[in-house]
């Protein structure tokens, strides 16, 4: 099977396994795991922030970050397809007591003026807005990259209204490679970020919360409260450090392979958006097959795809795909869509 469901399906490379096997470890709850400490310092430095905290999952990292910037009962603004309100099973409300309100789903094509118009100030018994969250790249937006000028304008909007700005940067590495924006430039724009090691970078586990030293001290407490205190976790942090050293620039290969898949499916009228990174979004509204039928037919042809909705599917390229696998996938998907 050629697995195009997600970039989370990768296996650790041989070099990564070696790094894990030889990692120096300690008890991280006591702050004594040197490999974790090195990873946290490295990621904080990459984004120009004071500190970072290793967390087992991206969802936990996001939810810790949101609790850092939105008090209980106050409001977060984000888009209707944002991961933090779509795929994190109500955690913002359940764990943080956070009220959320969304602008219409437009992927990476955010209108900062629309966001500004939604902000609610203190008073009048309304729920006050405390933070804005964006997703870079945007998962359900087809791996779209939010342009740097848009992010700069959102930073201005946040500053004008005294709000925090959070980035769900699960695939921010892809944006960095696609647009050439330095990671420090992204870091400069956000009060908090979450970045993932287990998607495009190919590590088996892990994300980090990034922010000021004061925020990360609080984040450590929140991580423990949410069950994320870990012991000799340097074996996993070592995988993350290996990924940062070896797998960032190679993301361009994933982008090129996604472009090949997009070119193959485009003649069938199912390509939802232009492909910028490693996600190929499919809209089957006008195709005879719905998303589940398409996925079943593709599986019969030896390709696994992700179903996101009744008429929405997704293809994702990743570390474990070769050029030959993409060639075979394009042939199989072409047969599936033509049938």
């Amino acid at each position: 099977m050629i697995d195009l469901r997600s970039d989370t399906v990768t296996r650790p490379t041989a070099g990564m396994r070696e790094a894990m096997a030889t990692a120096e470890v300690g008890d991280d709850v006591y702050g004594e795991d040197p490999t974790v400490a090195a990873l946290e310092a490295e990621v904080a430095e990459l984004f120009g922030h004071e500190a970072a905290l290793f967390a087992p999952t991206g969802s936990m990292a996001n939810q810790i970050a949101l609790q850092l910037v939105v008090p209980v009962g106050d409001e977060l603004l984000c888009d209707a397809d944002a991961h933090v309100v779509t795929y994190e099973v109500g955690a913002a409300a359940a764990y943080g007591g956070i009220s959320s309100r969304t602008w219409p789903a437009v992927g990476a094509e955010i209108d900062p003026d629309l966001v500004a118009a939604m902000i609610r100030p203190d008073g009048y018994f309304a729920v006050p807005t405390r933070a804005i969250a964006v997703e870079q790249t945007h998962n359900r937006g087809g791996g779209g990259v939010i342009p740097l000028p848009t992010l700069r304008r959102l930073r201005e909007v946040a500053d004008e209204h005294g709000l925090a700005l959070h980035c769900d940067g699960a695939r921010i590495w892809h944006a960095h490679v696609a647009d050439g924006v330095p990671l420090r430039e992204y870091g400069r724009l956000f009060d908090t970020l979450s970045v993932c090691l287990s998607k495009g970078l190919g590590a088996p586990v892990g994300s980090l919360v990034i922010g000021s030293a004061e925020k990360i001290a609080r984040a450590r407490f929140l991580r423990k409260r949410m069950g994320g205190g870990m012991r000799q976790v340097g074996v996993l942090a070592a995988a993350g450090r290996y990924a940062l050293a070896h797998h960032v620039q190679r993301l361009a290969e994933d982008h090129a392979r996604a472009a090949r898949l997009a070119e193959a499916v485009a003649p069938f009228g199912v390509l939802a958006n232009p492909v910028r990174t490693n996600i190929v979004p499919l809209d089957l509204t006008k195709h005879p097959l719905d998303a589940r039928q398409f996925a079943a037919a593709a599986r019969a042809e030896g390709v696994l795809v992700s179903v996101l909705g009744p008429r929405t599917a997704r293809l994702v390229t990743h570390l474990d795909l070769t050029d030959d696998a993409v060639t075979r996938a394009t042939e199989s998907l072409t047969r599936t869509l033509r049938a």
Side-chain angles (χ1 to χ4, degrees), residues 307-332:
V307 174
L308 302 185
R311 289 278 174 177
T312 306
R314 184 187 71 175
L315 316 174
V316 184
T317 55
H318 51 75
L319 179 65
D320 283 2
L321 286 179
T322 63
D323 285 331
D324 178 65
V326 171
T327 296
R328 289 185 285 120
T330 58
E331 293 169 352
S332 296

Side-chain angles (χ1 to χ4, degrees), residues 91-146:
Y95 287 112
I98 295 170
S99 178
S100 56
R101 196 154 47 94
T102 61
W103 61 81
V106 290
E109 303 302 317
I110 301 170
D111 180 354
D113 293 332
L114 172 63
V115 176
M118 294 178 66
I119 294 169
R120 288 174 172 159
D122 284 305
Y124 306 105
F125 301 102
V127 179
T129 306
R130 300 300 185 195
I132 301 165
V134 297
E135 191 173 328
Q136 181 77 311
T137 65
H138 200 293
N139 178 13
R140 288 185 65 89
V145 181
I146 305 171

Side-chain angles (χ1 to χ4, degrees), residues 279-304:
I279 297 176
V280 182
L282 303 180
D283 179 0
L284 295 155
T285 302
K286 297 181 180 179
H287 195 273
L289 298 176
D290 64 23
R292 292 195 179 280
Q293 290 168 336
F294 169 69
R299 176 185 283 269
E301 287 279 353
V303 179
L304 300 178

Side-chain angles (χ1 to χ4, degrees), residues 4 142 174 251-265 271 273-281 315-318 321 323 326 330:
L4 301 178
H174 290 277
L251 293 174
E253 299 173 19
D254 293 346
H255 299 175
R257 288 166 180 153
R260 288 179 57 199
L261 290 170
E263 184 179 10
V265 302
L271 187 63
N273 294 304
V275 170
R276 292 288 323 282
T277 55
N278 70 322
I279 297 176
V280 182
L315 316 174
V316 184
T317 55
H318 51 75
L321 286 179
D323 285 331
V326 171
T330 58

Side-chain angles (χ1 to χ4, degrees), residues 1-173:
M1 284 287 180
I2 300 168
D3 199 338
L4 301 178
R5 290 174 300 170
S6 178
D7 45 11
T8 61
V9 301
T10 59
R11 273 71 168 182
T13 64
M16 186 179 288
R17 289 178 186 271
E18 175 65 19
M20 295 169 71
T22 59
E24 185 180 0
V25 299
D27 190 321
D28 186 50
V29 172
Y30 289 133
E32 296 175 355
D33 192 303
T35 307
V36 174
L39 172 66
E40 291 170 342
E42 180 180 359
V43 171
E45 175 65 20
L46 283 174
F47 287 89
H49 275 263
E50 291 180 328
L53 179 71
F54 187 54
T57 71
S59 292
M60 183 180 286
N62 269 331
Q63 294 306 320
I64 289 171
L66 294 184
Q67 290 177 61
L68 293 174
V69 295
V70 184
V72 173
D74 289 354
E75 182 178 80
L76 171 75
L77 292 182
C78 60
D79 81 271
D81 271 347
H83 196 282
V84 295
V85 294
T86 302
Y87 290 127
E88 297 182 12
V89 292
Y95 287 112
I98 295 170
S99 178
S100 56
R101 196 154 47 94
T102 61
W103 61 81
V106 290
E109 303 302 317
I110 301 170
D111 180 354
D113 293 332
L114 172 63
V115 176
M118 294 178 66
I119 294 169
R120 288 174 172 159
D122 284 305
Y124 306 105
F125 301 102
V127 179
T129 306
R130 300 300 185 195
I132 301 165
V134 297
E135 191 173 328
Q136 181 77 311
T137 65
H138 200 293
N139 178 13
R140 288 185 65 89
V145 181
I146 305 171
L148 186 59
T150 300
L151 295 176
R152 287 174 172 163
R153 176 58 187 142
L154 285 171
R155 178 72 265 174
E156 292 173 356
V157 168
D159 289 342
E160 289 165 5
H161 293 84
L163 308 182
L165 188 60
H166 170 66
C167 179
D168 173 359
R171 294 184 175 92
I172 199 167
W173 321 102

